[in-house]
Amino acid sequence: MKKFKAESQRLLELMINSIYTNKEIFLRELISNASDALDKLHFISLTDSGAARDFEIKIELDEKARTIAVIDNGIGMDAKELEENLGTIANSGTFKFKAENKTDEELIGQFGVGFYASFMVADKVEVVSKKYGSIEAWKWESSGSDGYNISPSEREECGTTVLLHLKPDTEDDHTDEYLSEWRISELVKKYSDYIRYPITMVCTSERKKEGTEEYEEIKEKRTLNSRLPIWKRNKNEIKKEDYLAFYRGKYFDMTDPLYYFSASTEGALTYNALIYVPGKAPYDYYTADYKRGLSLYANGVLIMEKCEDLLPDYFGFLRGVVDSADLSLNISREMLQKDRQLKALAAGINKRVISEFTKLMTSDRETYEKLFNEYGASIKFGVYESFGAKKDELKDIILFRSSAGEKLTSLKEYVSRMKEDQKEIFYASGRTVEAIERMPQVEGAKAKGLEVLYLTDQIDEFVMKVLGEYDGKKISPVAVASEEVKNDDYKDMLAFMTETLDGKVKDVRLNADIGGYPSCLTTEGELSLEMERILNSMPANKGIKATRILEINPDHALIKKAKELFVSDKDALKDLTEILHGEALLLAGLELGDSADFVLKLNELLK
Ligand code: ADP
Ligand code: MG
């Protein structure tokens, strides 16, 4: 008996003692090896007609003997190859199990471990193989980590038969399931549905005997896989209905997707992707429970049902599949490559999604606005997160409400409408569009013919801060204190009012551009009133305060009255100042504090 190489031995022991719950992937591994062997012979057949045949992968179950066989008529192996390929882990120099600080179990699940996965379910494995062009057949067999034997054998056609003797069925290790036709069919569908060669099995079914009440058992060969995935089919042959049917079948979602597109190869990596925007965000989308990701296939073989690494968080609402021929299935082959390849794939997909959305914005604005209403918060979060690293990529696919009308607008569109002498992009934030429209500052800006973006999402104002500017135009809140009006006539009165409101506002200033209102609240510095409200609503933050400024409109009758009172009755001016402040609070949607006092003072004024 020959000994396994040290590293192979380690892997083998890991397989034998595996407590990994997805032992079922052994079948995927054997089928993909068979498919590789068929590929190789198929390639030869292009120049050597003797190699041509009906390429096929057969599965045979034997309940009595408790065996399962995976048989191919591919290229086969001679004695030397059996030795080299199955006695060592596929020529890998070093086997870096813990290389990526993932556990062994995770590695098995994500990338498979090739042929040795058989030992998770079998206690003895026999491989009979005959190489194409050779007259001898050879048998490799092993009952575990002790070692293996290679001996002459018999096989009619070229190809390979892998025969697994299943481990005994125990309470924690149900190997019996792999003797069930139904279960095997299910596994082929799950992992190997898109292998391009037919995977066949003789299946048993019952049928009523004609003219009697008796049933008879019939056995017939069936092809278990559907072979050609929709994303690899010729685009011109696929109808919208096919795409929708695939979506419904895969995601059990009865709401049609809002949008979908297929993409292939960009840059150095070859891949096919089919990506859907679900009609409705899943109920848990904005929670930590939501699991994002695209299904990752390597040449038609499922590697991971939800591969998170393929999508940035902000596109986490997308569903779909990515199939790349450049990903190796087996971890034994340069595990370290994995991350680089995945990253390149993810970058390609991210770029493609952005360009699809950009196109959609002009080609079908209605659909894009629906999409944005559903997922805009997520995309805007992408601008905000990681300190704006992605802002340049995403800034053109985000939309806002604005004073220009009902429709959403992009920053680019806003800029195209800017007045010739307008240097800044203005926004105002509040809880609803209606509330923003009533803000004195907004009315003032509108009266001057300036467009104002309406920010109603919690995240919006943070996004604007991260963006800072667009196309060289500064993005500024319309609410920020305007230039102090230099007017000595008012200086002393403003100082008196500031003192009256000590602790409530930092300053009282003049501003004639606040619509028809006598007063309004605004802020100085980074924090706005809306941000103050949002930040304070988060559990970790308490007592965050924006620097408040009370602006008063010198053109308003009440301010004219204030000026008179400053000379004639300072006590009455104190009360009026409180009222002006109270009104400004109400306009900003804030609480009055002492509302009884406000009402008393207001009544006094009305008398
Ligand atoms: P990988 O498929 O990643 O190379 P495996 O452990 O799955 O690693 O297989 C090891 C090697 O054994 C393969 O590279 C191949 O050369 C050989 N092999 C396995 N199964 C077959 C088969 N059915 N026909 C021909 N060669 C095979
Ligand atoms: Mg393999």
Side-chain angles (χ1 to χ4, degrees):
M1 183 176 301
K2 296 197 174 178
K3 289 238 178 291
F4 286 103
K5 297 255 166 66
E7 285 168 340
S8 310
Q9 172 113 9
R10 256 186 70 212
L11 175 57
L12 203 58
E13 272 160 11
L14 183 83
M15 291 298 117
I16 292 166
N17 304 315
S18 175
I19 47 157
Y20 184 55
T21 44
N22 279 325
K23 296 184 178 186
E24 60 189 36
I25 60 150
F26 80 90
L27 190 62
R28 164 188 95 175
E29 298 295 327
L30 295 182
I31 289 173
S32 78
N33 282 351
S35 171
D36 288 348
L38 294 176
D39 275 344
K40 286 175 195 157
L41 194 57
H42 177 248
F43 183 73
I44 292 173
S45 76
L46 299 178
T47 49
D48 167 6
S49 57
R53 61 205 64 220
D54 290 329
F55 295 112
E56 182 182 350
I57 300 167
K58 280 192 273 189
I59 299 177
E60 284 177 8
L61 306 179
D62 186 331
E63 243 180 294
K64 279 207 194 78
R66 291 183 48 78
T67 59
I68 166 169
V70 177
I71 304 160
D72 67 69
N73 54 355
I75 189 143
M77 289 173 274
D78 57 25
K80 187 164 163 270
E81 286 167 327
L82 280 170
E83 163 98 48
E84 279 172 3
N85 297 335
L86 306 185
T88 333
I89 295 161
N91 305 323
S92 73
T94 29
F95 187 67
K96 296 194 169 92
F97 251 123
K98 305 253 156 99
E100 311 233 295
N101 60 43
K102 294 221 165 102
T103 67
D104 303 347
E105 300 276 305
E106 262 176 301
L107 282 182
I108 299 170
Q110 287 192 11
F111 275 81
V113 279
F115 171 75
Y116 289 158
S118 314
F119 287 96
M120 289 196 288
V121 298
D123 49 19
K124 181 176 177 191
V125 179
E126 292 174 79
V127 180
V128 174
S129 196
K130 185 174 181 180
K131 177 138 184 172
Y132 173 67
S134 162
I135 45 165
E136 303 163 329
W138 293 89
K139 176 159 143 182
W140 176 101
E141 61 189 310
S142 170
S143 300
S145 55
D146 291 348
Y148 57 91
N149 273 316
I150 295 175
S151 54
S153 184
E154 298 285 322
R155 200 180 198 278
E156 210 167 300
E157 233 200 328
C158 71
T160 304
T161 299
V162 179
L163 184 71
L164 308 186
H165 295 264
L166 293 174
K167 290 180 184 174
D169 187 79
T170 64
E171 201 153 308
D172 337 293
D173 199 359
H174 292 286
T175 48
D176 270 357
E177 63 181 286
Y178 305 120
L179 295 168
S180 144
E181 287 170 8
W182 180 85
R183 179 78 174 120
I184 293 298
S185 308
E186 185 187 53
L187 289 179
V188 170
K189 269 256 163 266
K190 179 169 176 188
Y191 292 108
S192 313
D193 201 31
Y194 306 123
I195 292 284
R196 58 199 187 101
Y197 304 101
I199 303 169
T200 63
M201 184 168 69
V202 174
C203 296
T204 321
S205 58
E206 291 200 330
R207 191 198 285 159
K208 235 183 203 169
K209 267 193 197 165
E210 238 173 88
T212 70
E213 284 302 302
E214 278 169 48
Y215 284 87
E216 64 177 347
E217 214 174 59
I218 50 163
K219 291 192 177 283
E220 58 190 358
K221 186 160 129 178
R222 289 202 196 134
T223 300
L224 307 178
N225 55 332
S226 44
R227 304 181 61 183
L228 195 57
I230 185 166
W231 61 86
K232 279 196 173 170
R233 279 164 55 192
N234 188 338
K235 268 194 207 178
N236 307 327
E237 290 168 11
I238 315 173
K239 292 197 271 310
K240 182 177 177 197
E241 206 28 63
D242 299 324
Y243 282 120
L244 297 186
F246 174 79
Y247 178 81
R248 279 181 219 125
K250 186 160 171 75
Y251 301 106
F252 306 105
D253 185 351
M254 285 305 129
T255 314
D256 279 344
L258 274 172
Y259 186 65
Y260 62 83
F261 62 91
S262 60
S264 49
T265 306
E266 239 159 278
L269 275 182
T270 40
Y271 70 89
N272 290 286
L274 179 55
I275 296 187
Y276 293 89
V277 180
K280 282 248 156 289
Y283 67 96
D284 59 350
Y285 182 53
Y286 289 102
T287 73
D289 293 339
Y290 180 74
K291 196 152 167 29
R292 71 190 156 86
L294 302 174
S295 306
L296 178 64
Y297 287 82
N299 233 342
V301 180
L302 179 68
I303 293 183
M304 223 188 294
E305 194 59 57
K306 286 198 171 172
C307 180
E308 293 191 2
D309 298 345
L310 286 174
L311 284 177
D313 275 335
Y314 52 84
F315 285 149
F317 53 88
L318 298 172
R319 286 175 170 154
V321 297
V322 178
D323 189 345
S324 173
D326 295 337
L327 282 175
S328 53
L329 182 61
N330 197 315
I331 48 162
S332 61
R333 284 201 217 121
E334 301 179 61
M335 188 60 206
L336 294 172
Q337 287 279 315
K338 183 200 113 180
D339 258 6
R340 234 189 54 211
Q341 289 170 322
L342 272 189
K343 276 207 182 96
L345 263 181
I349 289 163
N350 178 54
K351 222 171 102 190
R352 184 58 194 265
V353 174
I354 291 172
S355 83
E356 281 292 326
F357 284 5
T358 311
K359 265 191 278 169
L360 188 63
M361 258 170 81
T362 43
S363 68
D364 183 354
R365 182 60 166 239
E366 199 186 328
T367 299
Y368 190 70
E369 291 202 7
K370 266 192 211 156
L371 184 158
F372 200 81
N373 282 329
E374 200 68 22
Y375 306 108
S378 181
I379 300 175
K380 284 186 283 190
F381 188 74
V383 176
Y384 171 71
E385 72 180 347
S386 47
F387 307 104
K390 296 283 184 149
K391 69 179 178 183
D392 285 330
E393 285 173 52
L394 300 175
K395 67 183 179 202
D396 281 318
I397 59 167
I398 51 176
L399 300 178
F400 302 95
R401 285 291 302 269
S402 100
S403 57
E406 287 292 298
K407 289 184 113 338
L408 295 170
T409 183
S410 68
L411 290 169
K412 196 179 200 162
E413 290 157 354
Y414 177 102
V415 167
S416 75
R417 286 189 296 264
M418 272 169 70
K419 294 172 64 175
E420 223 169 279
D421 56 347
Q422 187 181 341
K423 294 201 178 56
E424 291 173 52
I425 296 170
F426 294 109
Y427 67 81
S429 54
R431 266 165 272 188
T432 62
V433 168
E434 293 69 36
I436 296 174
E437 276 178 333
R438 281 196 303 268
M439 284 168 65
Q441 300 95 321
V442 171
E443 292 200 356
K446 270 163 60 179
K448 281 197 193 162
L450 296 170
E451 181 175 344
V452 181
L453 295 173
Y454 293 166
L455 311 188
T456 49
D457 253 356
Q458 296 223 342
I459 182 104
D460 283 345
E461 206 166 354
F462 297 89
V463 166
M464 290 311 199
K465 298 267 180 222
V466 165
L467 285 175
E469 56 92 36
Y470 179 88
D471 196 18
K473 321 269 183 309
K474 191 164 178 264
I475 303 176
S476 313
V478 77
V480 144
S482 58
E483 290 282 295
E484 207 173 330
V485 181
K486 288 261 177 284
N487 192 332
D488 286 343
D489 279 0
Y490 287 93
K491 219 175 119 204
D492 293 341
M493 179 184 89
L494 292 174
F496 178 80
M497 292 171 85
T498 304
E499 198 178 310
T500 305
L501 295 174
D502 187 36
K504 294 174 180 161
V505 303
K506 185 193 161 209
D507 204 4
V508 180
R509 293 176 194 165
L510 292 183
N511 184 0
D513 290 326
I514 53 175
Y517 299 95
S519 64
C520 79
L521 266 186
T522 172
T523 57
E524 199 176 63
E526 280 301 292
L527 221 55
S528 74
L529 292 171
E530 187 62 12
M531 288 168 95
E532 174 192 287
R533 186 181 71 78
I534 292 165
L535 289 173
N536 283 327
S537 72
M538 297 175 184
N541 302 329
K542 276 286 161 278
I544 288 175
K545 272 225 165 303
T547 310
R548 298 177 182 199
I549 309 291
L550 182 72
E551 290 189 335
I552 57 171
N553 180 358
D555 299 337
H556 196 279
L558 275 183
I559 305 306
K560 291 187 175 135
K561 178 162 182 188
K563 215 153 167 257
E564 290 165 24
L565 291 176
F566 182 58
V567 184
S568 61
D569 185 347
K570 291 230 166 55
D571 280 344
L573 178 56
K574 270 191 187 164
D575 287 354
L576 180 57
T577 303
E578 295 283 357
I579 289 168
L580 289 169
H581 178 246
E583 286 188 356
L585 283 172
L586 288 175
L587 278 169
L590 297 165
E591 298 206 355
L592 268 178
D594 190 348
S595 40
D597 185 56
F598 176 76
V599 171
L600 287 176
K601 286 188 170 127
L602 190 64
N603 289 346
E604 211 42 51
L605 190 76
L606 290 172
K607 270 204 273 192

